[in-house]
Amino acid sequence: MSYAGCILGSAYVRDVFAFPGKKGETMGMPAFLKRALRKQRTEKIADHAALEYRPLLGAWLIEMTLMLNWHTPERYGHWSDIFEDCDFLSLTGMSMPADEKTRTRRRPTGTGSRNRLVRCLGSLRKESLSPDLPLFANIELLSRVLGLTDADQAVLAFASALNVFPAFKNAISRRNCPTSNQLLCQVLARLTGIPEGEIRTSIGMDGLLLTTGIISLEQGLTDLENKLDLIDGLDGILLTPHENEDALIGRFLKRASTPALDLGNFPHLSADTDTLRRYLAGALEERCHGINVLFHGPPGVGKTQYAQALATELGADLYEISFSDKQGDPIKGGGRLRAYNLCQRLLCRKQNALLVFDEIEDVFPSASGFLGLLFGEGGDETCVRGAGKAWINRTLERNPVPAVWISNRIGHIDRAYLRRFDYSVRFPIPPARVRMDIAEHHLGEFAPSLAWLERIAASDEISPGQLETAAKVARLASGGDPSQALVLVEQALERSTSLLGQKRLPPQRAGRVSYDLSYLSTDADIPRLVAALRRRPQGTFCFHGPPGTGKSELARHLAAEIGKPILVRRASDILDMYVGESEKNIAGMFDDARQQDAVLLLDEADSFLADRREALRSWEVTQVNELLTQMEAFDGIFICTTNLMDKLDPASLRRFAFKIRFDTMTPDQCWAMFRDQFVRLGGKGEDAAVWETAVRRLERLTPGDFAVAVRQLELLDITATPEELYELLRRECAAKGGVRQEIGFAAH
């Protein structure tokens, strides 16, 4: 049976008196509301769109009135409120009873009201109703695309009438009719002539309408007008004429934007790229179901760009789930998941289609229950209303179109959902060489110098998204002046890093001292160590000693000598306020190092490797355990630095293959570095020689102290003298209690 035949040949062929209803079956309307409605006596209707469908809508209203006993007056001698409802009267074509207009003493009865309704129903059935009207035609198109049954079409027609015709919904809402699922099936069977069992199957949780998200069903006892709801935006689509199925589908789907980057901009993900390219290509060719890939990482690292570039590489059409409806209003998580299910069904006929679902945080409910909701985590619970985990799991397992899910943070997502993803890629902040390429890509139009680009790319916290935004600010605000544009880029990045709590841009390289291994005071043969790491770049190292002794700089030197990038992490980068998140960050740190084939440097390691015997909280122990576990499984170079060796956990110390102590400089090193740095500042070696004895007497002097002193001199922009350099170093030592006060000529 066609859709038009289904709804036009409704239950009028049956005896309308077979459903007399019982008095008191429905709840009465409050008296104050009835009095207010009586004032709305008019023969006009504001809902002009409903007038084209009046024969159907009016017949449905009368059928429901007869079935649910709305026509019976509450008080003897008074007509039912339906005969005073402007929307009911306009849609049915009825007029107010004459005795009400003339205020006669004629007392109406229930039988008299029923007879009026039956006569009106007969008249409505004789009126023509074209099956080519937009609502009917679009439901026919959806039926062909989605494979809807007659029952599905009937339910969708009724839900559409409730959502697209305010007059129809108002006429029902004023009846105050609490409705169960069973009563809804009975009502729809009465209106459409479809067997009640088929209606029940259609609105079931496994029915096509609910699984595709076209409609949602309010569970429990709910007012009839609110029982069925359409997916966001569908009401306007159904009332708009469409030439064919493709035109209708195009209203639901949104093509993804053209990527600004390509896969070549993600060399640090090359291993994942090769796997995903083969996996998705095979899934598209074999039309596999249940293909789900997860991209996760901090905002702005290129997850969406990567998905777009990957689709371009595969020659696939990429579609995305919208964040807003046609009016620009945001779509909540539940609505977006329903839209996803519908798009899956619409795209399943396409050979080369991929679907991307960005910002999934508002979709998946939190595993932390109330606490997750308290902290704003987890999705809109309406997305699983009446279904629970099983429904979402089926959504992930049965999708016919491969899907890419993107998230900025996955800590709150229940593991029951996470294990449904076939393959996951963690997106870190790109390594330095990649950041350099991306910085040049976004900022190259302003003709920056190589040194300037290197300084921008040196920040390991600034994301590609921040670079792109800064470029936009500079482009619009610079007036075409390249030098001004570079200033604006730095200004925009400074504002962005401050807002996000990131490290500021590295300063200009003022105050840097030349790096020389001879200035280090360690208990290891560093040249021999470098040679060994060139042969086999693997091992765990603990660099310990006072601040400024060159621990971090040696780590960078080692990475440069063996030709590997260095990934630096600090306690502030890893520690998280949520239980379990620090452990995930630790694991992610090692994963990033593997992806980048980088030397991993963990500064402030004492924040994680504290003695577990002194731990007061369970998570302090689990953090240590996680770090030790990751260390043992890591096959690269892992370096920890600490100033507090005595605070470290004894078990953790055994995990380090090398424990290298850094000490303050010897007198010979102090004098050699003093002379070299003074010459570098423009002085002469013979002028510095007068201060050799005094410099040799400085205690606890470190290479870091020289860097501070040189930075001070360059900041003051003065010509350095041996006396000024010595005085600055002496002050640094004095601050540490490491200088003896010399008297008289002994200072020279």
Side-chain angles (χ1 to χ4, degrees), residues 2-295:
S2 67
Y3 171 71
C6 169
I7 61 173
L8 294 177
S10 76
Y12 184 67
V13 298
R14 294 185 248 158
D15 183 5
V16 296
F17 297 98
F19 299 85
K22 296 181 180 179
K23 192 172 182 179
E25 212 173 44
T26 61
M27 297 175 62
M29 185 177 295
F32 76 91
L33 185 56
K34 294 177 183 177
R35 289 193 296 269
L37 292 175
R38 291 192 182 101
K39 298 178 180 179
Q40 301 180 10
R41 301 179 180 184
T42 177
E43 297 296 331
K44 297 182 180 180
I45 184 171
D47 191 2
H48 299 288
L51 294 177
E52 293 183 298
Y53 302 85
R54 193 174 66 83
L56 174 66
L57 301 179
W60 278 359
L61 285 175
I62 293 177
E63 293 270 20
M64 286 186 287
T65 299
L66 296 172
M67 177 181 178
L68 301 174
N69 213 26
W70 292 346
H71 62 286
T72 302
E74 292 187 3
R75 290 188 296 169
Y76 182 72
H78 291 79
W79 291 97
S80 172
D81 287 338
I82 62 171
F83 296 109
E84 300 178 351
D85 188 332
C86 62
D87 292 317
F88 183 89
L89 296 177
S90 298
L91 288 178
T92 58
M94 301 180 66
S95 59
M96 269 185 290
D99 57 303
E100 280 289 308
K101 294 179 180 180
T102 59
R103 302 289 182 179
T104 64
R105 293 181 176 275
R106 180 183 175 186
R107 299 183 183 275
T109 63
T111 302
S113 300
R114 179 179 291 273
N115 291 337
R116 281 175 56 86
L117 293 169
V118 172
R119 289 195 297 271
C120 183
L121 181 61
S123 300
L124 290 170
R125 294 300 181 189
K126 296 176 182 179
E127 295 186 23
S128 61
L129 185 63
S130 173
D132 296 328
L133 288 172
L135 178 62
F136 304 148
N138 287 326
I139 292 179
E140 287 279 8
L141 290 177
L142 281 177
S143 177
R144 291 198 295 267
V145 174
L146 301 176
L148 301 179
T149 66
D150 290 343
D152 294 335
Q153 296 177 61
V155 173
L156 180 57
F158 184 75
S160 301
L162 289 175
N163 286 269
V164 304
F165 302 127
F168 182 72
K169 185 172 185 176
N170 292 339
I172 297 175
S173 66
R174 291 167 185 150
R175 307 285 74 79
N176 194 21
C177 182
T179 305
S180 63
N181 290 358
Q182 181 179 0
L183 180 58
L184 176 65
C185 293
Q186 295 173 354
V187 170
L188 293 177
R190 169 74 177 247
L191 299 183
T192 64
I194 303 294
E196 184 179 332
E198 296 183 18
I199 297 292
R200 187 176 299 107
T201 300
S202 177
I203 65 173
M205 298 306 304
D206 292 327
L208 191 59
L209 293 177
L210 268 67
T211 56
T212 58
I214 294 179
I215 67 168
S216 61
L217 175 68
E218 189 74 30
Q219 300 295 331
L221 200 64
T222 309
D223 289 336
L224 177 58
E225 71 276 9
N226 297 323
K227 200 66 178 174
L228 297 172
D229 191 20
L230 291 179
I231 189 173
D232 291 323
L234 185 59
D235 49 355
I237 295 175
L238 290 177
L239 289 182
T240 303
H242 298 91
E243 295 182 358
N244 49 45
E245 299 171 17
D246 291 335
L248 179 63
I249 293 174
R251 297 291 300 276
F252 292 96
L253 300 175
K254 179 184 178 183
R255 292 291 294 265
S257 304
T258 303
L261 303 175
D262 56 35
L263 293 180
N265 294 117
F266 301 89
H268 56 299
L269 301 175
S270 58
D272 291 311
T273 299
D274 293 340
T275 300
L276 286 172
R277 189 188 290 114
R278 295 194 300 268
Y279 180 60
L280 293 178
L284 290 172
E285 182 178 357
E286 299 182 13
R287 303 183 70 83
C288 298
H289 287 211
I291 305 298
N292 296 280
V293 176
L294 176 64
F295 295 166

Side-chain angles (χ1 to χ4, degrees), residues 551-572:
K551 301 183 294 294
S552 299
E553 285 300 317
L554 178 60
R556 292 181 170 87
H557 176 75
L558 291 176
E561 286 294 311
I562 63 177
K564 289 182 177 291
I566 186 166
L567 181 65
V568 183
R569 292 292 183 266
R570 299 172 180 83
S572 57

Side-chain angles (χ1 to χ4, degrees), residues 299-576:
V301 293
K303 301 184 294 294
T304 304
Q305 291 278 342
Y306 181 87
Q308 295 168 351
L310 183 61
T312 302
E313 181 80 7
L314 294 170
D317 297 324
L318 185 66
Y319 299 86
E320 61 184 4
I321 306 300
S322 298
F323 295 89
S324 59
D325 57 22
K326 301 298 181 182
Q327 290 73 40
D329 298 323
I331 303 176
K332 296 182 179 180
R336 294 183 67 215
L337 189 59
R338 290 162 57 190
Y340 165 82
N341 286 326
L342 176 58
C343 291
Q344 280 284 343
R345 191 77 182 194
L346 295 173
L347 289 172
C348 65
R349 300 185 304 170
K350 291 184 173 290
Q351 183 67 34
N352 250 5
L354 292 175
L355 194 58
V356 62
F357 199 126
D358 207 348
E359 305 288 349
I360 68 173
E361 292 84 356
D362 64 341
V363 172
F364 292 98
S366 171
S368 53
F370 172 75
L371 290 178
L373 296 175
L374 181 64
F375 290 105
E377 297 180 336
D380 175 15
E381 292 298 332
T382 60
C383 68
V384 291
R385 183 169 51 198
K389 286 184 181 180
W391 187 76
I392 293 185
N393 290 338
R394 287 198 300 269
T395 298
L396 294 173
E397 294 169 354
R398 300 178 181 179
N399 53 305
V401 178
V404 177
W405 305 76
I406 299 177
S407 175
N408 296 329
R409 192 168 184 265
I410 63 171
H412 72 280
I413 300 178
D414 196 309
R415 291 179 180 269
Y417 305 133
L418 291 178
R419 70 180 184 87
R420 260 71 183 186
F421 295 105
D422 312 315
Y423 196 89
S424 66
V425 180
R426 186 179 184 275
F427 282 70
I429 296 293
R433 64 180 186 275
V434 179
R435 296 198 302 270
M436 184 69 177
D437 293 338
I438 295 176
E440 187 174 8
H441 176 84
H442 289 301
L443 308 175
E445 62 182 291
F446 309 125
S449 66
L450 180 61
W452 188 90
L453 278 175
E454 289 178 343
R455 185 168 69 87
I456 297 298
S459 174
D460 59 358
E461 291 190 356
I462 295 178
S463 67
Q466 290 171 278
L467 293 175
E468 185 177 8
T469 302
K472 180 177 65 175
V473 172
R475 190 179 303 113
L476 297 176
S478 65
D481 184 354
S483 60
Q484 179 65 18
L486 296 179
V487 174
L488 290 170
V489 167
E490 292 198 43
Q491 185 176 346
L493 290 176
E494 288 286 355
R495 300 295 187 272
S496 178
T497 55
S498 176
L499 180 65
L500 299 176
Q502 300 171 327
K503 293 180 297 185
R504 300 184 62 185
L505 286 173
Q508 298 288 346
R509 297 199 169 204
R512 288 187 64 88
V513 300
S514 57
Y515 191 78
D516 191 334
L517 291 178
S518 63
Y519 297 148
L520 296 181
S521 180
T522 71
D523 58 357
D525 188 345
I526 302 301
R528 182 180 179 185
L529 178 62
V530 171
L533 291 177
R534 287 198 183 105
R535 294 191 301 271
R536 185 182 181 186
Q538 184 179 12
T540 54
F541 301 82
C542 179
F543 294 172
H544 60 97
T549 51
K551 301 183 294 294
S552 299
E553 285 300 317
L554 178 60
R556 292 181 170 87
H557 176 75
L558 291 176
E561 286 294 311
I562 63 177
K564 289 182 177 291
I566 186 166
L567 181 65
V568 183
R569 292 292 183 266
R570 299 172 180 83
S572 57
D573 303 324
I574 299 180
L575 292 175
D576 196 285

